[in-house]
């Protein structure tokens, strides 16, 4: 059964023969290994274009900003998976990445789409303030969250925001999406009714889009960064385990609210 328009699989990323491995038109062994950094290589893999200094610096900054964030749920899932199956590092990494969604690490993509929508409205003739008001108000009317704004700890701006914006300015990135991100922050109190400051999930697309990073690949940046952090946590888990301790602490704090058979008491805790 034919599904879709294509009948022949095609890729422009890599090919090989018995002697040469080709990646984006380059000889992997002769031209890339030992001659490029991983960040440059990742950028080249995405679109085949050589990395500019602007794209390299901005992408490096975002990867550093989001690689590690403590024992967040995705990291706990990874460490507890490793504790249960230490022979499957890949499974533990996957468990952590599978927990990355709209609340943890997925908001960068959603914020980038928000900024792109606003940019499209501006390109259509609206003022920046008008476009921001219309787009954010429409989301509010649909009871949708404004991705990339508000943080449970950093009530004033997430400190990573200005650090990333500073790198973008110093590198010479286009600042259009930084301006959009800040305009959204200014508009939120009047539309939402409370202050919600920029967090790193909005800063990442603001600087990456200004450096020419593809909108559709934004979600991959936090995933790539957090993979590095997960591997660090799993090495620590192998040497100084806490996965079962995390599980134990969670179980100790569970409050059962269902029915019990006659004579049952909770003495002895969870089984």
């Amino acid at each position: 059964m034919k599904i879709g328009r294509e009948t022949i699989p095609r890729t422009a990323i890599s090919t090989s023969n018995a002697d040469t491995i080709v990646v984006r038109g380059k000889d992997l062994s002769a031209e890339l290994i030992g001659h490029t950094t991983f960040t440059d290589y990742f950028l080249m893999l995405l679109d085949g274009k050589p990395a500019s200094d602007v794209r390299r610096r901005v992408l490096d900054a975002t990867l550093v900003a989001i690689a590690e964030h403590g024992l967040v749920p995705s990291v706990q899932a990874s460490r507890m998976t490793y504790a249960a199956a230490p022979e499957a590092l890949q499974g533990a990494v996957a468990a952590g990445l599978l927990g990355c969604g709209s609340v943890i690490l997925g908001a960068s993509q959603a914020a980038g789409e928000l900024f792109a929508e606003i940019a499209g409205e501006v390109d259509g003739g609206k003022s920046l303030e008008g476009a921001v008001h219309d787009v954010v108000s429409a989301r509010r009317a649909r009871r949708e969250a404004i991705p990339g704004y508000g943080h449970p700890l950093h009530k004033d701006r997430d400190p990573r925001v200005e650090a990333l914006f500073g790198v973008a300015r110093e590198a010479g990135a286009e600042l259009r999406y930084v301006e959009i991100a800040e305009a959204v922050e200014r508009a939120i109190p009047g539309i939402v009714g409370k202050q919600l400051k920029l967090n790193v999930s909005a800063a990442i697309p603001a600087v990456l889009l200004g450096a020419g990073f593809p909108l559709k690949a934004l979600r991959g940046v936090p995933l790539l960064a957090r993979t590095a952090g997960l591997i660090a946590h799993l090495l620590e888990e192998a040497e100084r385990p806490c996965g079962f301790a995390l599980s134990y602490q969670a179980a100790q704090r569970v409050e059962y609210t269902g029915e019990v058979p006659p004579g049952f008491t909770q003495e002895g805790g969870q089984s």
Side-chain angles (χ1 to χ4, degrees), residues 174-254:
E174 205 236 313
L175 300 178
R176 180 188 194 191
Y177 295 96
V178 170
E179 293 168 359
I180 290 173
E182 293 186 315
V184 171
E185 184 184 70
R186 291 194 299 271
I188 283 176
I191 298 170
V192 177
K194 58 183 176 180
Q195 292 276 355
L196 294 174
K197 296 293 188 178
L198 273 155
N199 65 42
V200 72
S201 292
I204 285 173
V207 298
L208 284 175
L209 291 173
F213 195 86
L215 174 63
K216 291 181 179 179
L218 279 175
R219 188 182 297 271
V221 172
L223 293 176
L224 179 62
R226 190 53 60 87
T227 297
L230 288 173
I231 293 170
H233 274 277
L234 294 175
L235 175 60
E236 185 177 69
E237 183 65 28
E239 296 175 342
R240 295 191 298 279
C242 74
F244 284 128
L246 290 168
S247 176
Y248 173 79
Q249 292 292 336
Q252 292 300 108
R253 284 160 175 75
V254 171

Side-chain angles (χ1 to χ4, degrees), residues 71-84:
L71 291 173
V72 292
S74 57
V75 173
Q76 292 188 44
S78 186
R79 293 185 75 138
M80 285 189 279
T81 300
Y82 185 83

Side-chain angles (χ1 to χ4, degrees), residues 126-141:
K126 291 184 180 180
S127 67
L128 174 58
E129 290 72 19
V132 167
H133 181 273
D134 291 350
V135 171
V136 174
S137 294
R139 289 186 177 233
R140 181 65 172 169

Side-chain angles (χ1 to χ4, degrees), residues 94-112:
L97 294 180
L98 288 171
C100 300
S102 59
V103 176
I104 301 291
L105 294 184
S108 289
Q109 180 76 39

Side-chain angles (χ1 to χ4, degrees), residues 33-95:
I33 296 175
H35 299 280
T36 190
T37 67
F38 182 77
T39 303
D40 284 6
Y41 189 47
F42 173 54
L43 287 166
M44 188 186 76
L45 283 172
L46 283 176
D47 56 20
K49 299 175 184 177
S52 66
D53 184 59
V54 174
R55 293 211 301 169
R56 178 189 307 111
R57 289 185 62 189
V58 171
L59 178 58
D60 264 337
T62 61
L63 291 169
V64 171
I66 203 67
E68 169 56 18
H69 203 55
L71 291 173
V72 292
S74 57
V75 173
Q76 292 188 44
S78 186
R79 293 185 75 138
M80 285 189 279
T81 300
Y82 185 83
E87 73 283 358
L89 179 74
Q90 73 281 7
V93 172

